[in-house]
Amino acid sequence: MSTNIICHSSSAGSSDGGSSGNSARTPNQAPKPNEPSKRGRAKTRRDNEQLILQAAECIFAEHGFKGATTSQIAKKAKLPKANLHYYFPTKEALYRKVIDRIFNIWLEAASAFDDCEEPADAFTCYISKKMDISRNHPMGSKVWANEILHKAPVIHDYMQTTLRDWTDNRVKIIQGWIDDGKMAPVNPKFLLYMIWATTQHYADFNYQINTLNNGAPLTDEQFEEAKAQAIKIILTGIGIPVGTDRSTDATPCKSGEVPL
Amino acid sequence: MSTNIICHSSSAGSSDGGSSGNSARTPNQAPKPNEPSKRGRAKTRRDNEQLILQAAECIFAEHGFKGATTSQIAKKAKLPKANLHYYFPTKEALYRKVIDRIFNIWLEAASAFDDCEEPADAFTCYISKKMDISRNHPMGSKVWANEILHKAPVIHDYMQTTLRDWTDNRVKIIQGWIDDGKMAPVNPKFLLYMIWATTQHYADFNYQINTLNNGAPLTDEQFEEAKAQAIKIILTGIGIPVGTDRSTDATPCKSGEVPL
DNA sequence: TCAGTTTCTGACCTTTCGGTCAAAATAAAA
DNA sequence: TTTTATTTTGACCGAAAGGTCAGAAACTGA
């Protein structure tokens, strides 16, 4: 599952996650040798790595790479610091793993353009997916934002390859729609920036949004309204008619999978 | 000039800046006693404080509060670290000053809504000003973004007062325009978020934008195009007709001052 | 049961960083 | 010139952080 484009170090471990409640040090009950991933040392290792990654994502998001400390992360994961360093030898290795997870989530949303023929569907689906990511993975988005804010020392080479290729391809698709008269003539890149900015704002700046919402996070209804409005303004703005009857959170593109 | 809403400590010093080339330790030539701000100790102090603030803004933007070190800042300002601590007793005090400067710049753009009667003019002017800030003060914007990303520990109380009040007022203005049928019925808050996100993206994520621009910063022409497009998409998106002949970077609002 | 392997963890080391200090240097006042 | 106030600076300190290590604990297979 994990592509490991960014990470180059150690411990693979595809995520499956039938995570049962208690994780640490349960006495082995009936160790089936045929199912090595469900019980025993392999499972313990996987569980602990996931525990650490989860905690790390949270701490890195809140404090940045430098601001985060391995002690904090270990404490959040309820493990001794030395144990954390047993699984992830350095802070940077751990950070790269966190970034890698986020990148894979991002890639998933990016597929929207491949699954849709018409710009109306493509943009609706893409914006919707990006908004859902901001809702469901705000921490990951923040780590990402933080990384780019600080000159992307870790994902630098990725940006020059994968991101650039992806963007160039989508620019061509959008330009094709423009040439076909399906949408207003805009600069596709600047349009993509607007979509990225608007959708990720709900993750990266959620603290500000909450403050302006009387200190409370947006309710599901409010968030759906925000999503619908983002879609409506952008689509209208690029000359694509928006039917008011169209359901917002439905994904009109071919593939019906959940945006994660 | 400095409102000092956020900072509570020491050393006022309004910016004037007739900054001549060499700054450090020039032998006093003809010390006029009548002009205390141009020569002598007062000037040295002001110059050094500005030097440090400039360097600090840059370093804080690039590395965040925790990531930045006073040594780095001092080195960038070409002063010994101990001298930096003479002017700014703590790293946090310096940080607050930097934030304060950015806040004042932000306030300036915020006035667009007060200077315009019609939504077309108000939004055009506001977006234009915000874009110019992203162009001319990217470092400040990054410090700001970083602060909110990390739960705004420093500007927390400001957000609950000044920012909230400002937002509430503009929401009312926008709602008035909607009620008058001058623009499409949208949620004013979410519209503001979209404007903030889009405009600030060009500062906060400029590293990504540069990478996707073959490693080079946007030229002035490209940036003007981005600005024009942001204005066009948003205005069209909220049902305000955009004349293609309207000059983009002209400020249509009453006050003709430069956006800084 | 027992040897071999993997996991766990408190204690420790080294480096870095924010901040202090006392003395030297410079400017202003008397 | 002498005195006083301000500024500059190298050297230093304590705290915190990333990372190591050796021995203890636990699991695995025979």
Side-chain angles (χ1 to χ4, degrees), chain B residues 89-107:
Chain B
T90 68
K91 184 182 173 184
E92 188 177 328
L94 175 56
Y95 184 69
R96 295 187 105 95
K97 276 281 179 193
V98 170
I99 292 272
D100 191 47
R101 293 211 316 178
I102 298 151
F103 171 58
N104 282 305
I105 291 170
W106 186 81
L107 266 191

Side-chain angles (χ1 to χ4, degrees), chain A residues 25 41 44-45 48 66 79-80 82-83 86-87:
Chain A
R25 193 116 326 265
R41 287 215 263 246
T44 302
R45 171 172 278 272
N48 280 345
K66 281 283 278 192
L79 292 172
N83 201 2
Y86 171 71
Y87 285 109

Side-chain angles (χ1 to χ4, degrees), chain A residues 211-228:
Chain A
T211 301
L212 296 178
N213 194 43
N214 298 316
L218 297 184
T219 64
D220 287 344
E221 289 74 26
Q222 286 177 310
F223 188 79
E224 287 303 321
E225 186 193 351
K227 192 202 293 185

Side-chain angles (χ1 to χ4, degrees), chain A residues 9-260:
Chain A
S9 59
S10 66
S11 55
S14 71
S15 63
D16 182 14
S19 62
S20 50
N22 51 356
S23 56
R25 193 116 326 265
T26 60
N28 242 358
Q29 342 159 344
K32 290 183 194 172
N34 270 4
E35 218 166 349
S37 61
K38 287 283 180 184
R39 297 266 160 226
R41 287 215 263 246
K43 173 174 163 53
T44 302
R45 171 172 278 272
R46 247 198 13 248
D47 285 355
N48 280 345
E49 279 178 356
Q50 288 302 313
L51 217 61
I52 293 168
L53 282 171
Q54 193 106 354
E57 181 174 315
C58 193
I59 299 294
F60 280 133
E62 190 159 329
H63 302 282
F65 177 74
K66 281 283 278 192
T69 71
T70 51
S71 302
Q72 276 178 305
I73 296 170
K75 189 179 175 187
K76 180 133 194 155
K78 288 174 183 165
L79 292 172
K81 191 182 69 167
N83 201 2
L84 180 149
H85 275 99
Y86 171 71
Y87 285 109
F88 299 92
T90 68
K91 184 182 174 184
E92 186 177 329
L94 176 55
Y95 183 69
R96 295 188 104 95
K97 276 280 178 194
V98 170
I99 291 270
D100 191 47
R101 293 211 317 179
I102 298 151
F103 171 58
N104 283 304
I105 293 170
W106 186 82
L107 266 190
E108 183 150 358
S111 69
F113 274 95
D114 305 311
D115 298 337
C116 304
E117 289 279 335
E118 294 301 308
D121 294 341
F123 285 116
T124 301
C125 184
Y126 184 54
I127 295 170
S128 180
K129 277 193 178 183
K130 290 279 294 178
M131 286 291 282
D132 286 333
I133 290 175
S134 283
R135 182 72 168 176
N136 300 324
H137 295 271
M139 296 304 175
S141 185
K142 283 185 185 184
V143 176
W144 189 261
N146 205 67
E147 177 68 10
I148 295 173
L149 209 57
H150 300 341
K151 291 201 173 176
V154 169
I155 60 175
H156 177 267
D157 50 348
Y158 146 76
M159 279 175 57
Q160 294 201 329
T161 55
T162 314
L163 180 62
R164 205 200 303 236
D165 292 345
W166 187 90
T167 306
D168 286 346
N169 281 330
R170 310 314 128 155
V171 163
K172 281 183 192 138
I173 294 176
I174 296 173
Q175 190 59 52
W177 289 330
I178 294 171
D179 295 340
D180 291 346
K182 290 179 174 175
M183 54 180 284
V186 297
N187 186 314
K189 249 180 210 170
F190 298 151
L191 172 59
L192 284 176
Y193 297 162
M194 180 178 243
I195 293 173
W196 294 348
T198 300
T199 54
Q200 283 169 213
H201 186 87
Y202 284 88
D204 304 340
F205 284 69
N206 69 347
Y207 189 72
Q208 190 179 59
I209 291 174
N210 293 353
T211 301
L212 296 178
N213 194 43
N214 298 316
L218 297 184
T219 64
D220 287 344
E221 289 74 26
Q222 286 177 310
F223 188 79
E224 287 303 321
E225 186 193 351
K227 192 202 293 185
Q229 176 163 318
I231 293 171
K232 187 184 164 196
I233 292 180
I234 290 177
L235 262 65
T236 305
I238 58 176
I240 296 177
V242 179
T244 51
D245 51 350
R246 182 197 290 278
S247 168
T248 322
D249 47 358
T251 56
C253 34
K254 290 176 192 164
S255 70
E257 79 264 17
V258 193
L260 177 59

Side-chain angles (χ1 to χ4, degrees), chain B residues 113 119-127 174 177 183 191 195 235 238:
Chain B
F113 273 96
D121 294 339
F123 285 116
T124 300
C125 184
Y126 184 54
I127 295 170
I174 296 172
W177 288 330
M183 53 180 283
L191 171 59
I195 293 173
L235 262 65
I238 58 176

